[in-house]
């Protein structure tokens, strides 16, 4: 019984080592190809983009912050719509601030912008009442 378990463990280890060797050879081959054919990496990137699309990267805002935050920008920061109820905005603020809080190695600047976004939307909701 012990021999079976031992041989299975050895077999599994050999499979993992073999897979590691295959991956290592593949990475080395890609490195050599990138060095020998520098334009190939651009072409491979174009092929991957045409085959797989942007893989969800379009949903991120690709601009900087405006000088004075607008309600639209605030809702983009929190990931909510302008017409979302305050409870949903509060949940979104909590989720985003926990991910970017300075006490958890986040950016103080981003945390300030997230809080500013919450206040902009809160003021907007209070004015509409």
């Amino acid at each position: 019984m012990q021999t079976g378990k031992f041989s299975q463990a050895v077999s599994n280890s050999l499979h993992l080592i073999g897979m590691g060797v295959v991956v290592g050879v593949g990475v080395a081959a890609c490195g050599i190809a990138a060095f020998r054919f520098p334009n190939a990496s651009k072409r491979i990137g174009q092929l991957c983009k045409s085959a797989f699309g942007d893989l969800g990267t379009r949903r991120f805002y690709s601009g900087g912050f405006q000088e004075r935050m607008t309600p639209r920008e605030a809702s983009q920061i929190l990931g909510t719509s302008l017409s979302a109820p305050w409870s949903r905005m509060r949940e979104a603020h909590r989720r985003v601030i926990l991910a970017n809080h300075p006490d958890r190695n986040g950016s103080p600047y981003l945390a300030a912008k997230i809080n500013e976004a919450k206040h902009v939307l809160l003021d907007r909701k209070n004015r509409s009442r």
Side-chain angles (χ1 to χ4, degrees):
M1 192 75 171
Q2 292 293 336
T3 309
K5 288 183 180 179
F6 178 75
S7 64
Q8 185 178 8
V10 169
S11 174
N12 289 342
S13 298
L14 290 176
H15 283 272
L16 288 174
I17 291 171
M19 288 171 46
V21 169
V22 169
V23 169
V25 170
V27 168
C30 287
I32 292 169
F35 180 73
R36 298 242 350 198
F37 308 107
N39 294 333
S41 62
K42 182 186 280 188
R43 179 70 180 135
I44 291 170
Q46 290 171 346
L47 288 173
C48 288
K49 191 170 185 177
S50 67
F52 301 113
D54 289 333
L55 294 177
T57 57
R58 288 185 188 178
R59 64 178 223 191
F60 296 110
Y61 181 66
S62 64
F65 294 112
Q66 297 175 6
E67 191 171 320
R68 182 179 168 103
M69 188 174 293
T70 62
R72 181 176 181 274
E73 183 181 24
S75 67
Q76 285 178 335
I77 290 170
L78 295 181
T80 61
S81 67
L82 286 172
S83 61
W86 175 239
S87 60
R88 187 174 298 152
M89 288 183 191
R90 188 175 56 230
E91 291 169 10
H93 172 264
R94 180 174 167 75
R95 184 188 68 240
V96 175
I97 197 69
L98 284 176
N100 294 288
H101 198 276
D103 290 346
R104 296 186 177 190
N105 296 327
S107 166
Y109 179 72
L110 287 179
K113 286 295 185 180
I114 293 165
N115 286 327
E116 183 182 355
K118 179 183 83 167
H119 291 296
V120 165
L121 292 175
L122 175 64
D123 290 344
R124 184 173 185 270
K125 288 281 184 187
N126 285 340
R127 272 192 235 133
S128 66
R129 286 184 186 185

